[in-house]
Amino acid sequence: MKLTRISILAALAISLASCGNKGDKADMDSYIDNLMSQMTLEEKIGQLNLPPAGDIVTGAPQDSPIGDMASKGQIGGTFNIKGAEKIKALQELAVEKSRMHIPLIVGMDVIHGYETVFPIPLALASSWDMEAIEKSASIAANEATAGGINWTFSPMVDIARDPRWGRVAEGAGEDPYLGSQIAQAMVKGYQGDFSDENVLACIKHFALYGGAEAGRDYNTVDMSRQRMYNEYLPPYKAAVDAGAATLMTSFNIIDGVPATANEWLLQDLLRDQWGFDNLVVTDYASINEMANHGMGNTLENSVRALKAGTDMDMSSNAFVSVLSEALDKGLISEADIDKACRRVLEAKYRLGLFENPYRFNNVEREKTDVYTDEHRAAAREIAAKTFVLLKNDNNTLPIKPQGTIAVIGPLGNTSNNMVGTWSVANPGDKAKTLYEGIKEAAGDKANVVYAKGSNLYADPFVEDAAANGYGGGMRDSRSEDELLAEALRVARGADVILAAVGESVGMSGEGSSRSNLDLPDTQLRLLKALVATSKPVVMLNFAGRPTTMEWEAANIPAIMNVWHGGTEAADAIADVVFGKVSPSGKLTMSIPQNVGQIPVYYNHLNTGRPVPEGTPHFHPFSSNYLDVRNEPRYPFGYGMTYTTFDYSDFALDNNKLSKDGKITASVKVTNKGNVAADEIVQFYTRDMAASLARPVKELKHFDRISLAPGESKVVEFEITPDKLGFYNANGEYLIEPGEFKVMAGPNSRDVQTLDFTLE
Ligand code: BGC
């Protein structure tokens, strides 16, 4: 029977929302049964094919291979294509021209915003503000759908403890509990109620990608099961539980097998134990990359991937080229293909594409809903919550808009370095530069001047590599000496210096690992010269990761990590620098003293030979270094503000917790200063005697509170036995009675401690 679009659509007069109840699921199943009964094998395999659009900004799809493939039913969707009209035209080819009229799923790396760009995810995490994070995802979805996108490759929930890895910029940091909360907030924000202003979320990269050896991107991961279950897997699981509609495999191996073809990971753990029955897509060309892992040819690897539970092939062109041969050879069954095809169709069904294939092609919305004043105001407010004040001697910050303010540094007057890695939908030059933002905020009250001061790196080759397709064209034709001389002239005439230094956008993100996390040579030379002028210097550290700052921490009075704060970062930085907003971000990854300490993270195990408390420097035959203490420079959870908070009356309402009971820890937090500010109150626990070695601390609860000057609030943490368990190597969750500690404080280091017993 020749099917028309109308007959397909007529078959569907049902609710297409979340398929949350049985009826919806039954409707979906019968719709898809009917559809698949009419599809040829080639058409089914076509649905498993996800090639990239080839270009992100221009090009007519009708003339491109994508358009041709869409017309022939050879693709299930495409990704990283921008432009509502263009996407609509492409959708028309699939819907009107292909025999089965099946609409396309259209993905994009909408990682921290679309055209309105929010801070990079590591910065967003530093806000510890779940409402703000969810809102950022929801605005991103709203704009992306206005641009014709219906699927985002986000959230990235890979736990990471090695800041050499450039992709720490894309994740939430080192903690599984905080990472899980953030994963859920993002899934909720993206998917909402599956309206036409929501996108499907994609949990990535499953799994353990953040465990790459030596922080080198794409490198080997080798990890014990108990570590996986307790420390790395929780955020993926949390995102699954939040109902994420899709999931992406990772590039790395797990137990020697690439994730994309790892049956234990995708079948036993994800599908069977966690009950995830939704779409699994590979990461970019990861089926092809299996050959480089030493695992044979495309045919073998496609079979492995499909059999393991991968449904959709991103960019390998593998499934589409070999699966029918694999079927002929008896290496797979038609049922294997059907299973994967069904999951692709289910994702489209959830999107409501069968009811209305043009549901995300309201091209008018692109003009009205993208980069709106409202979205930008939200991005500005959220960005200001993400900056982490690391040091502030003599209240150097905030500064007054008066006299002459010098913005100096290679990141002081660039637009494309504000937005951060993976801002593919943003046309790069939309963001105000820091210099522009400060100048505008100061108005006619202060004279704001600028000098570049140095290049990013002395070595043009490294600087070029750091540009990595983003910050290119930054290099100055003047010599380093000339740049420095100009900066010093400007600095000497100023009352205060805002030093805009650190990492360009290309220095973090995918493929941008670093072996040395110091401020690059030329920039450190500039900073030293600026400090030598005796003018007050504020270091605004642009960063996609924790960076080491040995000299800076000892010699610069004020340091604030501003990360890459998105399109509205300049205004947000001005808000904080001038004291309109008090800084409130706290680190979600420890800042190491030097790279030799890496990995350094707060929730480590104690070892059998911990350094005795009170050891001033080094303790022989203990687990420590001769030349540096074990502590990071700035710990997880750390961040200052323009006031001080006092923690008092830390108490437990009972120091015995029964098997089915609950007890409450509470602490009173008081704003002792004279400005209003937010505080992120943190609670940790420690299991003192278990059948497995347990960490010295684990974050279990936090609360972000606002306090007016002099105001106090009591923050509570309800402790129940289920919060005190852990996984063994078989993935069983054990709750064992015994002695525990509960801690409360402003960061993972400065805590007060109480004891209790789980009976
Ligand atoms: C990255 C993914 C991304 C994909 C599509 C890959 O290289 O690892 O995070 O979603 O490309 O752009």
Side-chain angles (χ1 to χ4, degrees):
M1 178 184 99
K2 186 172 182 301
L3 240 89
T4 64
R5 176 164 73 86
I6 302 308
S7 67
I8 290 176
L9 300 179
L12 185 76
I14 48 181
S15 150
L16 296 161
S18 66
C19 305
N21 64 48
K22 253 192 166 159
D24 288 344
K25 169 93 171 86
D27 288 343
M28 176 170 80
D29 288 349
S30 87
Y31 182 82
I32 292 175
D33 286 344
N34 180 33
L35 192 59
M36 283 179 59
S37 71
Q38 299 166 63
M39 290 169 76
T40 64
L41 180 71
E42 282 65 34
E43 283 163 341
K44 289 177 188 169
I45 295 173
Q47 289 300 309
L48 316 187
N49 190 19
L50 183 74
D55 69 75
I56 171 107
V57 183
T58 54
Q62 289 90 334
D63 304 324
S64 76
I66 294 296
D68 189 47
M69 287 190 275
S71 319
K72 293 180 180 147
Q74 292 168 345
I75 59 175
T78 187
F79 66 98
N80 286 355
I81 171 169
K82 191 174 176 211
E85 292 281 2
K86 187 161 65 171
I87 293 174
K88 184 172 183 217
L90 183 61
Q91 192 65 291
E92 275 165 5
L93 292 177
V95 174
E96 312 294 340
K97 294 251 169 84
S98 74
R99 191 186 74 93
M100 290 299 296
H101 313 286
I102 298 175
L104 302 173
I105 185 168
V106 184
M108 184 188 263
D109 289 283
V110 181
I111 306 298
H112 49 112
Y114 184 76
E115 282 199 19
T116 302
V117 181
F118 293 86
I120 54 167
L122 183 64
L124 278 176
S126 307
S127 74
W128 300 53
D129 186 332
M130 299 309 118
E131 233 174 81
I133 291 171
E134 183 179 331
K135 186 168 180 184
S136 76
S138 153
I139 290 174
N142 181 290
E143 291 197 4
T145 51
I149 300 299
N150 50 40
W151 184 22
T152 180
F153 301 138
S154 175
M156 174 182 123
V157 303
D158 305 322
I159 292 297
R161 293 162 163 180
D162 192 331
R164 291 172 297 183
W165 191 46
R167 300 199 81 169
V168 302
E170 299 174 52
E174 72 192 32
D175 186 65
Y177 174 74
L178 181 63
S180 298
Q181 308 288 308
I182 291 174
Q184 298 200 323
M186 295 197 76
V187 170
K188 269 210 278 189
Y190 287 134
Q191 295 190 162
D193 55 3
F194 294 87
S195 80
D196 54 9
E197 294 176 11
N198 289 116
V199 289
L200 297 188
C202 184
I203 309 165
K204 75 184 189 188
H205 308 84
F206 196 63
L208 320 180
Y209 185 24
E213 279 179 5
R216 184 154 55 76
D217 206 0
Y218 318 120
N219 205 5
T220 302
V221 174
D222 200 354
M223 195 183 286
S224 73
R225 285 284 157 92
Q226 69 82 23
R227 171 165 270 184
M228 292 182 198
Y229 283 120
N230 287 302
E231 300 165 27
Y232 282 75
L233 293 175
Y236 305 106
K237 170 77 161 52
V240 165
D241 292 344
T246 75
L247 172 143
M248 185 187 294
T249 63
S250 58
F251 289 125
N252 53 280
I253 58 162
I254 291 168
D255 299 329
V257 182
T260 297
N262 193 308
E263 203 175 325
W264 171 77
L265 184 76
L266 300 179
Q267 190 58 49
D268 301 358
L269 181 71
L270 179 70
R271 305 273 194 214
D272 296 347
Q273 282 184 46
W274 292 0
F276 182 83
D277 199 27
N278 297 340
L279 175 64
V280 171
V281 62
T282 73
D283 200 352
Y284 202 104
S286 60
I287 297 179
N288 284 347
E289 288 179 11
M290 286 170 67
N292 292 338
H293 281 289
M295 293 189 63
N297 63 27
T298 306
L299 179 71
E300 291 162 313
N301 292 328
S302 297
V303 168
R304 287 187 177 117
L306 186 74
K307 285 227 162 254
T310 288
D311 303 312
M312 203 174 200
D313 163 16
M314 180 198 285
S315 307
S316 280
N317 204 29
F319 280 178
V320 78
S321 57
V322 302
L323 284 191
S324 101
E325 181 190 344
L327 186 64
D328 290 344
K329 291 187 167 153
L331 300 171
I332 55 170
S333 67
E334 189 153 358
D336 294 325
I337 294 172
D338 282 356
K339 207 194 295 175
C341 176
R342 175 177 295 276
R343 293 202 187 103
V344 175
L345 296 174
E346 283 174 356
K348 295 180 177 184
Y349 188 100
R350 272 192 194 107
L351 281 169
L353 287 174
F354 292 115
E355 189 181 41
N356 174 9
Y358 302 113
R359 194 165 180 236
F360 299 93
N361 301 120
N362 174 356
V363 296
E364 289 311 306
R365 276 191 61 221
E366 192 180 49
K367 300 181 196 113
T368 55
D369 288 13
V370 174
Y371 204 56
T372 62
D373 289 349
E374 192 192 333
H375 293 172
R376 293 179 60 196
R380 176 176 179 165
E381 192 185 324
I382 291 170
K385 295 179 169 187
T386 68
F387 308 142
V388 183
L389 182 64
L390 296 170
K391 188 179 173 196
N392 194 22
D393 286 356
N394 310 317
N395 296 326
T396 307
L397 277 174
I399 63 169
K400 294 204 172 67
Q402 64 184 28
T404 297
I405 301 167
V407 175
I408 299 179
L411 295 161
N413 199 20
T414 90
S415 176
N416 55 1
N417 285 293
M418 302 307 278
V419 291
T421 186
W422 279 123
S423 307
V424 295
N426 183 267
D429 53 357
K430 268 196 170 175
K432 227 177 259 174
T433 73
L434 178 66
Y435 170 53
E436 290 163 351
I438 297 290
K439 208 172 154 68
E440 201 178 299
D444 53 13
K445 295 202 195 103
N447 175 32
V448 181
V449 290
Y450 162 75
K452 181 166 179 180
S454 79
N455 282 303
L456 277 179
Y457 278 98
D459 183 338
F461 174 79
V462 183
E463 176 149 332
D464 228 40
N468 190 18
Y470 298 93
M474 278 184 72
R475 196 152 189 91
D476 209 280
S477 56
R478 290 167 290 175
S479 71
E480 287 302 324
D481 288 348
E482 285 169 320
L483 289 169
L484 185 61
E486 181 198 50
L488 288 175
R489 260 196 317 275
V490 168
R492 286 194 194 103
D495 298 296
V496 59
I497 298 164
L498 300 177
V501 292
E503 297 194 309
S504 64
V505 48
M507 284 167 70
S508 65
E510 186 172 352
S512 293
S513 296
R514 292 177 66 193
S515 71
N516 177 345
L517 301 181
D518 292 340
L519 193 63
D521 40 20
T522 51
Q523 299 190 55
L524 192 56
R525 174 171 175 249
L526 167 67
L527 269 190
K528 288 182 175 173
L530 294 177
V531 167
T533 64
S534 302
K535 305 282 181 176
V537 176
V538 173
M539 175 175 170
L540 297 173
N541 189 37
F542 288 76
R545 55 156 65 78
T547 53
T548 49
M549 347 183 172
E550 186 168 2
W551 184 89
E552 299 89 307
N555 294 284
I556 298 190
I559 304 176
M560 186 160 73
N561 262 16
V562 294
W563 315 108
H564 295 122
T567 45
E568 314 311 313
D571 290 337
I573 295 171
D575 289 343
V576 174
V577 161
F578 289 124
K580 204 167 131 191
V581 179
S582 300
S584 57
K586 302 232 187 192
L587 297 175
T588 65
M589 258 190 109
S590 309
I591 294 189
Q593 303 198 48
N594 61 36
V595 285
Q597 284 186 311
I598 295 171
V600 58
Y601 49 93
Y602 87 94
N603 47 354
H604 59 83
L605 299 177
N606 201 32
T607 81
R609 292 195 181 186
V611 179
E613 232 173 271
T615 301
H617 178 64
F618 167 77
H619 195 272
F621 302 106
S622 283
S623 180
N624 58 175
Y625 301 98
L626 287 170
D627 52 358
V628 65
R629 289 180 62 90
N630 287 351
E631 292 75 30
R633 183 168 316 285
Y634 299 109
F636 175 85
Y638 176 81
M640 302 169 70
T641 184
Y642 294 156
T643 184
T644 51
F645 295 107
D646 179 60
Y647 281 65
S648 64
D649 304 343
F650 182 38
L652 272 170
D653 65 353
N654 192 337
N655 57 12
K656 299 219 180 318
L657 172 59
S658 67
K659 197 162 112 275
D660 311 306
K662 62 167 193 233
I663 58 175
T664 303
S666 57
V667 69
K668 184 168 153 193
V669 184
T670 307
N671 181 347
K672 294 292 229 191
N674 45 25
V675 293
D678 285 6
E679 169 68 328
I680 299 157
V681 182
Q682 301 158 41
F683 289 90
Y684 299 84
T685 62
R686 177 172 180 185
D687 188 342
M688 298 308 291
S691 56
L692 270 187
R694 303 296 303 130
V696 297
K697 251 169 221 152
E698 295 176 90
L699 180 73
K700 289 292 165 72
H701 182 70
F702 59 87
D703 217 341
R704 192 184 158 106
I705 54 170
S706 302
L707 290 176
E711 193 187 358
S712 297
K713 273 185 190 160
V714 174
V715 180
E716 294 188 342
F717 162 39
E718 189 175 275
I719 310 173
T720 47
D722 59 298
K723 293 178 184 164
L724 302 172
F726 56 87
Y727 292 94
N728 66 13
N730 301 324
E732 292 154 349
Y733 192 70
L734 307 178
I735 301 172
E736 297 179 344
E739 298 305 309
F740 285 83
K741 289 189 185 300
V742 57
M743 295 157 250
N747 61 62
S748 63
R749 180 189 61 201
D750 304 316
V751 293
Q752 305 178 31
T753 304
L754 292 169
D755 299 309
F756 68 94
T757 310
L758 173 63
E759 300 184 315

